[in-house]
Amino acid sequence: MSRPLQPAPIAPPQDAFKVACSTCALRQVCLPTGLPVADVEQLERMVSERRAVPRNTVLFKAGEAFEAIYIVRTGFFKTSAIAEDGREQVTGFHMAAEMLGLDGIFSGAHASQAVALEDSQICVVPYGRLEDVTREVDRVRRQFHRLMSRELVRDQGVMTMLGAMRAEKRVAVFLINLMRKLRARGFSSSSVVLRMTRDEIGSHLGLTLETVSRTFSRMQGDGLLEVRAREVRVLKPRQLLQLARRAA
């Protein structure tokens, strides 16, 4: 049985995760390529702390005051909102170098909840500090807006594609996108241990738990995948890609 969600812990000393953006292994994924050293140093000024977030910990809740943007350093998060019928609707999954908390910029309060799916680390960027730095340096403001826009466009593109797809095609697109992001971070592009449950995948894709489970079983029976609990290996990447492209 899973552990109950916990409130965010008190941050450990900042030195525990003191890694500059200029030397971070995720720089090529997190930051736009070709940034001048001076711009990278300005972006570093916006990070107030680097914090550990244990598995099942709530980073922020819906309705909480918006104070900061969070960049995932390691680990995996899910974001979710409460639907009109009271069910949890998973709105996204977020891995290293991706941003959390953008939903709070417009109204000043978070519209969703973010929970760590495994032991994770984050970089905290207070929004007030971000505004101060970007007000001073126009080029840095443009760069950070590019980062935020990249997150929004990526999420919107995935949800638009999923809108009219059948179950098998939704799962194919989900796996292709997940493995592309993992490959960009230096992980295997053919095997993944899913950090989320089948139920959470279904909530994100607009499918029931039973449909997701049947779809994985069908794809395994067709020889596309090998599924062992949460580990998924792609046996026929070209056919899976073709299925995803037909979905688009």
Side-chain angles (χ1 to χ4, degrees):
M1 189 166 68
S2 61
R3 293 172 3 190
L5 299 181
Q6 306 164 5
I10 298 174
Q14 186 171 343
D15 287 344
F17 308 113
K18 193 170 184 179
V19 178
C21 296
S22 57
T23 58
C24 181
L26 292 170
R27 177 181 174 181
Q28 298 302 320
V29 183
C30 185
L31 301 178
T33 57
L35 274 183
V37 174
D39 286 3
V40 175
E41 292 174 349
Q42 292 287 356
L43 289 171
E44 287 176 0
R45 287 177 51 199
M46 294 189 289
V47 178
S48 66
E49 61 177 304
R50 292 168 175 87
R51 181 191 307 170
V53 186
R55 178 175 176 265
N56 282 339
T57 296
V58 177
L59 181 61
F60 56 78
K61 295 180 180 180
E64 281 187 359
F66 167 70
E67 297 178 345
I69 290 171
Y70 307 94
I71 303 173
V72 183
R73 286 194 67 219
T74 63
F76 221 99
F77 287 80
K78 74 170 179 179
T79 50
S80 61
I82 302 302
E84 292 183 0
D85 60 4
R87 292 181 298 107
E88 178 189 49
Q89 173 69 52
V90 175
T91 56
F93 299 107
H94 309 268
M95 64 177 67
E98 296 184 345
M99 290 185 180
L100 295 164
L102 297 177
D103 62 334
I105 293 177
F106 175 71
S107 66
H110 290 290
S112 63
Q113 173 174 275
V115 178
L117 294 180
E118 63 180 353
D119 291 344
S120 305
Q121 296 175 13
I122 56 169
C123 296
V124 182
V125 181
Y127 196 63
R129 183 177 297 189
L130 184 155
E131 288 186 310
D132 290 341
V133 173
T134 56
R135 190 181 301 116
E136 296 172 9
V137 186
D138 183 66
R139 187 166 56 186
V140 173
R141 184 185 72 248
R142 292 197 301 270
Q143 294 290 7
F144 207 85
H145 284 173
R146 284 179 61 193
L147 293 177
M148 293 191 292
S149 177
R150 182 183 67 183
E151 298 296 320
L152 296 173
V153 168
R154 180 163 47 204
D155 291 345
Q156 184 180 30
V158 171
M159 296 313 297
T160 298
M161 282 197 302
L162 292 175
M165 293 181 189
R166 291 182 298 155
E168 190 173 42
K169 296 182 179 182
R170 294 188 191 195
V171 172
V173 170
F174 172 75
L175 290 174
I176 290 291
N177 286 334
L178 179 61
M179 290 183 172
R180 280 177 174 169
K181 292 197 292 184
L182 289 170
R183 183 174 61 228
R185 289 152 178 81
F187 295 100
S188 170
S189 60
S190 62
S191 179
V192 60
V193 176
L194 299 174
R195 306 304 180 187
M196 67 291 291
T197 65
R198 301 284 194 275
D199 195 27
E200 289 167 335
I201 293 173
S203 177
H204 180 53
L205 299 181
L207 303 171
T208 65
L209 167 62
E210 293 75 14
T211 299
V212 172
S213 297
R214 283 199 305 270
T215 301
F216 273 117
S217 296
R218 186 182 311 119
M219 296 172 92
Q220 180 168 242
D222 292 341
L224 295 177
L225 308 175
E226 180 182 14
V227 183
R228 296 182 178 178
R230 292 197 179 191
E231 182 179 1
V232 177
R233 289 184 58 227
V234 178
L235 302 178
K236 297 180 179 179
R238 183 174 299 178
Q239 286 88 332
L240 188 67
L241 183 59
Q242 288 174 345
L243 178 57
R245 285 175 173 170
R246 287 200 301 271

